[in-house]
Amino acid sequence: MLAVVLTLVYAGITCNGIRFTLPIHIPFVAIFFVYMILSSFWGESIELAFNRALGIVFLIATYVALTIIAPVYSVRRELNAFGFNCFLYLIIFYYLLGLYYIYINGYSAGEKYNQGIFGVYFEGVLPRLRGFADSPNNMGLLIFPLFYFVFIFKPFTSKSYFFLLVIILILTFSTTSYIAFFAPLFLLGLLGSVKIFLVGLASFLCISFLLSLMYFNIDFIAHLIDLRLDRIATGSGRFELFFFSIEKVGESPVYGHGLAQVRLFLEGFQNRDLQSSHNSFIESFFEGGFFGIFLFLLCWIGFGVHLYKLRIRYLDKCKLFAYLLSMFIFSNSNLMIYVELMVLNMFLIVYMGNCLENQYKFDYKDRT
């Protein structure tokens, strides 16, 4: 938050005549957030609503700050692979450091937000990689810009980089991240490139073979996989949570229960005090009713229309849609509306689209 404020102050002092582009999705997003803030007035807890509204303001300020500090419309292809790889090795080292403290030094993980140490999030007996994020799912959100940036612009050729990304992805033990990573790639392969489809399929089969091999030969790995499969069967409790939240929507379907009020209704649910319904679409429906979900869907449609109208190569457009689909999948499994990493990903989708369009225009001029 402090970095955002300082960026805006610096920009206000040093940058004169700042001009912002207004893609088609921006008005929809603005109207949605304004409506959600107004829904605070009919919420039962004004304190919860105020805290969430303040967070929305900072998210909007973050997006503006990103727009200010990233005014360029091209991406250098000669970026150094060393820095990218070092960052991934640092994430793995941070995870191994957590494993060391848990299994060697005997660190005992706590509960709720104290379930791990360093790069490990300890779920029962499952040491999930969370890296520098607060949870494995949010670590998954950090993987996607690292992947799609290199996948789209190819600033360097490094097979080890993608190998490390896949290793980190696997160690998160995040089913949502797995689906959000592989499903768009398969679709991209079908629509855009046979090569991408074959590489994705081969990677998926290799990973499945290795996991099967470890499952039948290493008891500890087999136990971990069994635990994840048990949780997948119920969506880690999400399916029951979704049905419960939808039933509560029926109590106020038109205008919703108000911003951030879902916490009140979920107190004690499944013997836990959940913070959200773990679904962005259900959450917007719960908080804002039919108006909320309608405006939220318009935001996604606006993003899609913006990408569709970009004057770029067909394959690049397919890659951006794959990126957007990854975020859509995440939004169906977690509350992503008010998450700063989600704002970063959505900004990068638009930013990379602008870079590609600018690059395409220059290439077109060179050809003519």
Side-chain angles (χ1 to χ4, degrees):
M1 290 184 179
L2 180 60
V4 170
V5 172
L6 292 177
T7 300
L8 294 177
V9 171
Y10 173 79
I13 296 175
T14 61
C15 303
N16 296 321
I18 297 176
R19 301 173 66 181
F20 297 96
T21 58
L22 193 63
I24 189 172
H25 62 277
I26 294 296
F28 294 139
V29 175
I31 294 172
F32 169 73
F33 276 139
V34 168
Y35 174 76
M36 297 310 295
I37 291 175
L38 290 176
S39 72
S40 304
F41 293 105
W42 56 83
E44 184 176 339
S45 173
I46 190 66
E47 181 180 356
L48 286 175
F50 176 78
N51 290 335
R52 177 65 58 79
L54 185 62
I56 291 174
V57 171
F58 272 102
L59 286 177
I60 295 173
T62 300
Y63 192 92
V64 173
L66 288 171
T67 305
I68 291 174
I69 63 178
V72 296
Y73 293 97
S74 62
V75 175
R76 295 177 58 190
R77 292 180 178 273
E78 56 272 10
L79 291 174
N80 196 335
F82 178 76
F84 282 83
N85 282 279
C86 280
F87 181 67
L88 298 186
Y89 279 117
L90 192 60
I91 291 174
I92 294 176
F93 172 77
Y94 200 54
Y95 174 71
L96 294 176
L97 190 63
L99 292 180
Y100 171 80
Y101 270 86
I102 290 174
Y103 291 108
I104 305 300
N105 277 12
Y107 174 85
S108 179
E111 298 179 354
K112 292 186 177 180
Y113 298 105
N114 189 33
Q115 288 182 245
I117 184 171
F118 296 110
V120 175
Y121 181 89
F122 212 68
E123 188 178 89
V125 296
L126 188 65
R128 303 176 63 185
L129 184 149
R130 67 176 178 183
F132 301 112
D134 59 347
S135 71
N137 281 346
N138 282 343
M139 184 62 223
L141 276 178
L142 186 57
I143 289 174
F144 288 95
L146 295 174
F147 170 76
Y148 278 105
F149 180 83
V150 177
F151 182 50
I152 292 174
F153 292 102
K154 299 181 180 62
F156 53 82
T157 302
S158 175
K159 295 180 180 179
S160 63
Y161 178 81
F162 291 107
F163 176 76
L164 290 173
L165 270 180
V166 171
I167 292 298
I168 291 172
L169 178 70
I170 292 173
L171 291 175
T172 62
F173 291 98
S174 169
T175 306
T176 301
S177 298
Y178 296 165
I179 298 173
F181 187 81
F182 285 106
L185 288 183
F186 285 139
L187 184 61
L188 174 61
L190 292 173
L191 297 177
S193 170
V194 176
K195 179 182 177 181
I196 294 174
F197 176 76
L198 293 177
V199 171
L201 180 61
S203 301
F204 178 77
L205 292 176
C206 288
I207 293 171
S208 300
F209 174 75
L210 290 174
L211 289 177
S212 300
L213 196 64
M214 291 187 291
Y215 181 83
F216 290 109
N217 291 278
I218 305 175
D219 292 338
F220 176 69
I221 298 297
H223 181 57
L224 295 182
I225 293 176
D226 286 337
L227 288 175
R228 290 310 296 169
L229 290 176
D230 288 339
R231 293 182 68 86
I232 290 172
T234 61
S236 297
R238 283 181 172 84
F239 299 149
E240 185 180 350
L241 175 60
F242 293 166
F243 288 124
F244 176 82
S245 301
I246 292 173
E247 288 179 359
K248 292 298 180 181
V249 168
E251 298 178 6
S252 181
V254 179
Y255 299 105
H257 295 280
L259 185 65
Q261 302 305 300
V262 70
R263 295 186 184 184
L264 299 178
F265 289 83
L266 294 179
E267 287 183 358
F269 180 77
Q270 296 177 339
N271 296 319
R272 294 183 294 172
D273 291 331
L274 299 175
Q275 303 297 308
S276 74
S277 61
H278 284 274
N279 186 302
S280 300
F281 296 90
I282 294 177
E283 192 93 357
S284 60
F285 199 5
F286 188 98
E287 295 179 345
F290 285 118
F291 288 104
I293 186 63
F294 174 73
L295 293 173
F296 188 58
L297 289 173
L298 283 181
C299 295
W300 284 94
I301 294 173
F303 270 105
V305 171
H306 173 74
L307 296 183
Y308 178 78
K309 293 176 66 177
L310 289 174
R311 298 183 61 185
I312 58 179
R313 293 190 311 145
Y314 173 75
L315 182 57
D316 287 334
K317 188 174 295 188
C318 288
K319 290 179 180 179
L320 289 176
F321 269 107
Y323 194 173
L324 186 65
L325 179 58
S326 295
M327 296 301 102
F328 182 82
I329 293 172
F330 252 97
S331 295
N332 277 280
S333 182
N334 294 275
L335 177 60
M336 295 287 101
I337 305 173
Y338 314 110
V339 176
E340 64 279 4
L341 278 174
M342 187 66 172
V343 171
L344 174 63
N345 277 278
M346 301 308 278
F347 167 79
L348 286 175
I349 292 174
V350 176
Y351 175 70
M352 289 193 292
N354 292 339
C355 292
L356 288 170
E357 189 173 50
N358 188 69
Q359 176 181 301
Y360 180 84
K361 290 177 181 178
F362 277 107
D363 291 342
Y364 179 78
K365 289 181 179 179
D366 292 338
R367 290 195 301 268
T368 55

